[in-house]
């Protein structure tokens, strides 16, 4: 029983690691001074909530995002960049 639980936890951790690695293209710019935040271009819905984000360089970004671990899996937290 304990072996199956440990195996499942290891497989889940590797899956999350693979998703994060696959979602981090070499062209994405990281936010200076942060090891977890990156620049992204996000489409927003009618309420202004980011719905589709793609990692990009600083010049073409609309948001600053970071991945968060949630009880449901890996989540994305984004804030809109200021115009300045």
């Amino acid at each position: 029983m304990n072996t199956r639980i440990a195996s499942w936890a290891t497989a889940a951790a590797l899956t999350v690691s693979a998703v994060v690695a696959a979602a981090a293209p070499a062209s994405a710019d990281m936010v200076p001074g942060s090891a977890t935040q990156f620049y992204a271009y996000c489409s927003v819905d009618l309420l202004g909530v980011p719905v589709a984000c793609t990692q990009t360089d600083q010049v073409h970004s609309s948001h600053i995002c970071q991945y968060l671990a949630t009880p449901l899996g890996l989540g994305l937290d984004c804030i809109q960049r200021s115009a300045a």
Side-chain angles (χ1 to χ4, degrees):
M1 182 71 165
N2 291 338
T3 304
R4 286 195 302 184
I5 292 172
S7 297
W8 180 83
T10 302
L14 291 174
T15 301
V16 169
S17 298
V19 169
V20 171
S27 62
D29 288 344
M30 297 301 289
V31 175
S34 174
T36 59
Q37 295 179 331
F38 55 90
Y39 293 105
Y41 180 81
C42 299
S43 300
V44 295
D45 65 11
L46 294 175
L47 300 174
V49 177
V51 291
C53 297
T54 304
Q55 293 184 5
T56 187
D57 57 12
Q58 181 180 4
V59 175
H60 298 101
S61 65
S62 61
H63 289 74
I64 295 175
C65 300
Q66 67 183 7
Y67 289 104
L68 298 174
T70 68
L72 300 175
L74 194 60
L76 192 61
D77 179 34
C78 296
I79 57 171
Q80 188 168 3
R81 292 184 63 206
S82 60

